[in-house]
Every structure is written in structure tokens, then in C-alpha cells.
Amino acid sequence: MRIHPLHTDIPAPERFTFPFCYEPHPLCLLAAKEVQLELQTMTLTEGKMFGVLVVEAQHPSPNTHPPTPYSFLAAYSGLLEGRNDWPYFVPPVFDAQQPDGHFKQEERRISAMRDESQHEERRQRSQDLQLWLFHQYNILNARGETHDLVEVWRDYHCSPRIQRRYPLPPGGTGDCCAPKLLQYAYLNHLKPVCMAEFWWGPSPKSEIRHHGQFYPACRGKCKPVLTWMLQGLDVDPSPDAEGFPKLDISVVYEDDSIAIVDKPSGLLSVPGRTERHSVATIAQQRWPGSLLVHRLDMWTSGLLVVAKNRNAYRNLQQQFSEHTVEKRYVALLSGPWPAGKPTRGTISLPLYADPMNRPRQVVDYTLGKPAVTDYELVDSTPSSRREQGEALIALYPHTGRTHQLRMHCAHEDGLGCPIKGDELYGQSADRLYLHAEQITLTHPTTGQRVHFTSKCPFAE
């Protein structure tokens, strides 16, 4: 049975879930618990993303208590234990795993072409087979319209430059939870109510996934597909489209060459795709012609360096590139200090941007760029955090990779404990508890070493 009753009187949300940034609705939490009970009866050897889609029941039962106005569907991404025919879960959008089907037969014929002289033919037939497969995914939307994956991809990536770089979808597109769930609902004339996805099982080695935690849909593969599939539904607005509070900076120090500013959590360092207000634009208004020398994540607070002229900018950029700028960050971990972990040490994990789920980073020892961080435990139980058992630490980055400190804290080969409030690699909170507390550099005009400090707002 693939349509499961949901016994509850919880009211439905006003709009359907925006799948790329959401808090799971109580209906989804209830459905996920049912799926997790089912998963506990199965022998699983791998971690996997699972999804639930709550729909209006086809035949509501008003006489039951509580009433059953809803049902739910469940799905997993890709294959589960090498299969895609588990009866509890919805089927794939297109089943390419049938041993006698065209895809598997042609795949076997291509694999048998081992002669070096067949290399070009093998490559061409592989490309043709992948294109054939994409055309078999006939993706529905809420209006009842159908596009195959190639059409969906090209309609979304309408820029000629993007189309030249990514002419076809990546392999596995259309096989994630959300497309499977919506496709099955549309085929069976079920009205979607809300949706959520969670990770179950051990985390992959390269990325960070926490057992039982909910995650947004991936953007690389799913953003084009879901943009099409959600047409015709009343969907929650993207938080990016709603804008952010117009926060301001405070000036810690300034002279004719530089300014040291204190950025609050929630303010962009530089303009984003949909939001212009940032430290860089504020600096331009105060000091025309100024340039931001480096960046902090939006939800990280603390010190940033502004160059007021080109000469200062070039000098400071060289200092950053030569790693002569010293920085100290303070972070509050989301749990107690990891058992057996030295209270002082160095983390070296190469980082690489996940091409299918930016801005997330993964650990990649082949493609990743070196990322090195020194750390030390400051206080395992700060007085105001004693009940939570959270650890306060200092971090000293030697490199400046995207999300370096967040990954080095969260990854199991680093500290193995995410920074509190890290919604990408841990769990969300009222803010990201990461603060750029100190910075030491050589003044671009005087040549003297100068040191600046910003009081950490959560250290006490």
C-alpha cells in the first residue's frame, strides 16, 4: 500500500511547502514518525534521504477518531538497498532498473565494448543512452502539464551561457524524494498539502547528514524539476524574496586608509542575488570608493576590514593571500565537547563546493582545496550554557575556504559537533553562534602590526 492514512485533526497549512527552505509542518512530522517506524522494521545498511508528502485523503473517514482527512506518501532518493520496488514507498518517475528493459540491455551491450578501437563508439552510445533516459521522465505539474526532463532543464536554464555549460541534467535528476512524491500524487489525482525530507542512517563520509534531521531539497538537481512541478500550487514564498532587516554596522576603528567594522549576524557581507543591502553597500555610502577586503557568512558576526582606497586594498589583499593576517573566531558548539577529543589541535580537511547543492561544501581529498584550522577549547560549560552542556571554543583559520570553520566543526573527521545554529551542517537556532572576535594585520600605510577586538555577544 503506497497511500497511507494519517489519523489526526491537525489543521492544514495555508500554502504548500517551499521545498528549499522550510520548517517541517506538524502534519509532516507525524507522517515522518510513521515512516521511521516502518524503517525500523527494515534491515538497512546505508544512510538515505527519505521524504513524506501529506495529501488530502481520497475518501475521508469522518466517523473515525481522530478524523482522517489526510493521507501521506513516502519516498527515498535513488535506490534503497539496490532496489526501487519497495511496496511501502512510491515508485520512481521512470523505472530504468528492469533487467529486460531497453536501458539495462543497452547498458550491458556498452559494458561489453572493451576493445580500445570501440572507445569513441562506446562514448557516443553512452551519451545517447543517457539522453534517451532523460526523455523517458515525463514530469507532471499541478496543472496537468507534462515535460520530459530535457525540456524541464532547458526551460529553467534559459540562459545560452548556462545551456552551453550544462546542456543536459546531471545523472540521477528526477530520482530524489520530492519529484517521486509529487509525480505519484499528480498521477493519482491527490492534492498535495505539505512535504518534508529527512535523513535516516549513517552520514556519508564526504558530506554531513544527521540521523533523523530534516533537510531542504537539493538545488542542483531538484530546483529546475520542482520549479516545474510546483506550477499550479499555492506555495509558500521563498524567504529570499521577502528581504532581510536593514541592519547596520558599527565602526571599531578608522583612519584615512582603513576601517574596521563590526558586522551583526543576519547582514550580508556583499550584495546577494536578491538582496543588495550589505556591509559593502553601507561602506560605499559612508566612504565612497571603499572596498571590502574579505567576507563573513551572512549569519556570522564580527570584524571585517574595509580598504578606503585601491593602494590599501591591494596591500591588504596581499596580506590575506600570504596568510599573514591572524584571525580568532569564537564558536559555541551545539553539544558538549566530544569525548576523547584533545582540547587543542589542528584540523586539516580539504573542501570542495557540492556542485549539486550549493553553497554546501563537502570533504574531497581529490578535488578539494586545502583548509587548515587550529582550535582550542575555551570553556566546556560556560556559565549561561551549563544546562545545555554546550562547548565554547576558539578557532584560528590558516586558510579562508567557504564554510571552513563550520565544516571543520561539524564533520566527523573534525570536531564532529556542529556550531550551534548552523542550519546547513547542524540545526537552526536564533542565529549562527560564530563570531569573528579578533584580527591582527599590518597597517597598509604605517607598516605597523595592529590588533582589533570585538566582544563576543554569546561568550558569557
Side-chain angles (χ1 to χ4, degrees), residues 247-402:
L247 302 175
D248 201 359
I249 57 175
S250 58
V251 179
V252 175
Y253 169 86
E254 73 167 305
D255 58 28
D256 291 341
S257 299
I258 64 172
I260 309 298
V261 302
D262 203 341
K263 182 185 88 68
S265 175
L267 176 63
L268 289 168
S269 292
V270 297
R273 291 191 303 272
T274 59
E275 176 66 35
R276 298 292 303 169
H277 185 69
S278 64
V279 175
T281 56
I282 296 171
Q284 274 286 336
Q285 292 168 359
R286 293 193 184 185
W287 309 295
S290 64
L291 296 161
L292 198 63
V293 181
H294 61 122
R295 304 179 186 183
L296 294 175
D297 289 343
M298 177 178 178
W299 300 108
T300 301
S301 57
L303 298 174
L304 282 169
V305 182
V306 178
K308 290 189 175 182
N309 55 64
R310 285 281 176 182
N311 288 335
Y313 178 76
R314 283 191 290 267
N315 180 290
L316 291 164
Q317 280 277 290
Q318 184 174 357
Q319 292 185 51
F320 273 93
S321 66
E322 293 176 352
H323 307 296
T324 60
V325 177
E326 301 172 41
K327 293 177 285 183
R328 170 185 160 112
Y329 290 75
V330 176
L332 189 68
L333 299 185
S334 58
W337 186 253
K341 181 69 67 175
T343 58
R344 184 189 299 264
T346 300
I347 301 166
S348 180
L349 294 174
L351 300 181
Y352 182 71
D354 184 349
M356 290 298 103
N357 208 6
R358 294 179 183 273
R360 290 182 67 93
Q361 304 291 305
V362 297
V363 172
D364 191 314
Y365 287 92
T366 302
L367 299 176
K369 295 181 179 179
V372 180
T373 305
D374 292 336
Y375 71 87
E376 63 177 337
L377 177 63
V378 175
D379 187 353
S380 61
T381 55
S383 57
S384 63
R385 309 288 175 184
R386 201 170 297 277
E387 291 184 4
Q388 294 93 326
E390 298 161 340
L392 189 71
I393 65 169
L395 299 162
Y396 306 89
H398 293 277
T399 50
R401 308 302 178 201
T402 301

Side-chain angles (χ1 to χ4, degrees), residues 18 20 156 217-228 273:
F18 179 72
F20 305 103
Y156 182 82
C218 69
R219 291 178 176 265
K221 293 180 181 179
C222 285
K223 189 72 182 288
V225 177
L226 295 183
T227 298
W228 166 255
R273 291 191 303 272

